[in-house]
């Protein structure tokens, strides 16, 4: 997934949710590719959940989780995104 600017569209900043707002960009295509790889990688195993994590802060976990969830929902899958970060939750800021 390419590096994406962080923003919510206000103040001239581009939106980070490229799968929802800029569906014809290279970033949106990268998340669709990730969605396809996740679905094919777990096909037949009955996967019902997934965790997006990394060892260090500021690596784009909320951005990746939100765009992946939107991509899965756009494909008609039941999708629930839960922000489990009890100290610095940011998912509620993505759509503001």
């Amino acid at each position: 997934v390419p590096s994406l600017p962080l923003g919510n569209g206000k103040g001239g900043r581009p939106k980070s949710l490229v799968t929802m707002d800029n569906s014809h960009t290279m970033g949106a295509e990268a998340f669709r590719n990730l969605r396809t790889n996740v679905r094919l990688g777990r096909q037949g195993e009955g996967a019902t959940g997934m965790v997006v994590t990394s060892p260090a802060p500021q690596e784009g976990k909320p951005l990746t989780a939100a765009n992946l969830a939107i991509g899965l929902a756009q494909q008609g899958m039941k999708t629930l995104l839960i922000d489990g970060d009890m100290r610095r939750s940011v998912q509620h800021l993505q759509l503001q």
Side-chain angles (χ1 to χ4, degrees), residues 1 5 19 42 53 61 75 77-78 80-81 86 93:
V1 175
T19 52
R42 301 295 299 185
T53 187
K61 296 174 288 289
Q75 206 168 36
M77 298 185 69
K78 291 182 181 179
L80 175 64
L81 177 61
M86 299 299 173
L93 301 173

Side-chain angles (χ1 to χ4, degrees), residues 10-70:
K10 294 183 180 178
R13 294 170 45 194
K15 292 186 178 183
S16 300
L17 299 177
V18 294
T19 52
M20 184 170 62
D21 300 315
N22 302 319
S23 61
H24 300 294
T25 63
M26 188 168 60
E29 183 60 33
F31 283 111
R32 284 192 293 272
N33 189 16
L34 177 61
R35 173 196 66 198
T36 301
N37 287 333
V38 166
R39 288 196 64 201
L40 291 177
R42 301 295 299 185
Q43 193 172 18
E45 296 181 28
T48 59
M50 107 181 45
V51 175
V52 177
T53 187
S54 71
Q58 303 294 316
E59 290 188 341
K61 296 174 288 289
L63 178 72
T64 300
N67 278 295
L68 183 57
I70 291 169

